Amino acid sequence: MQLLLDENLSPRVAGWAQAAGWPARCVAHIGLQGASDEAVWEEAWRRDEVVVTINASDFLLLARGVEVHPGLIVLRQSGLSREEQWVHLAAGLRWLGEAGFDDLLNRVLVVNDPESHVVLEIPG
């Protein structure tokens, strides 16, 4: 599973994800800083990447508007430091592995906090 971090997450999180074995890029490093959510979503779809964001409402609408998507990870708490963003994301990724998910095809992982995760089928 490859990750594309939205600009509302620290670029450092992408580096920490890579160091932990998760292929990851951030929009700030690929020329999409300031791009629309639709442009970020399309880039992720084109490269089969899971979008990671704090912007739940806009990206959930985009996920609901297509028949197939590579997945979405939503961190539900805003105002997190970059270290806290990584703690939440890493916990969610670990949980996915423990729960037997090897991809998020048409799924959304909602990370409420490091101990609370939910997977939604969207569309579905």
Side-chain angles (χ1 to χ4, degrees):
M1 184 173 3
Q2 298 182 83
L3 308 175
L4 179 60
L5 278 67
D6 194 13
E7 69 182 334
N8 54 23
L9 294 166
S10 171
R12 280 250 172 112
V13 175
W16 292 329
Q18 290 172 358
W22 296 95
R25 304 184 308 152
C26 64
V27 298
H29 292 158
I30 61 169
L32 288 176
Q33 189 167 4
S36 69
D37 293 337
E38 292 83 3
V40 172
W41 186 250
E42 187 170 310
E43 172 71 7
W45 184 86
R46 187 177 65 74
R47 292 184 46 108
D48 196 29
E49 295 172 316
V50 173
V51 172
V52 182
T53 189
I54 296 172
N55 182 3
S57 60
D58 291 342
F59 280 98
L60 287 171
L61 283 174
L62 290 167
R64 287 185 178 108
V66 295
E67 289 184 32
V68 177
H69 64 83
L72 177 63
I73 297 174
V74 176
L75 305 183
R76 293 300 289 174
Q77 291 185 13
S78 60
L80 298 172
S81 70
R82 61 184 175 212
E83 291 83 4
E84 291 169 326
Q85 290 172 0
W86 170 240
V87 167
H88 285 232
L89 178 58
L93 293 171
R94 274 192 307 276
W95 180 83
L96 282 175
E98 292 166 2
F101 290 96
D102 55 355
D103 68 48
L104 282 177
L105 183 66
N106 282 359
R107 296 183 183 107
V108 177
L109 169 63
V110 179
V111 180
N112 295 306
D113 62 54
E115 302 299 320
S116 174
H117 317 96
V118 177
V119 173
L120 307 171
E121 298 282 336
I122 296 178

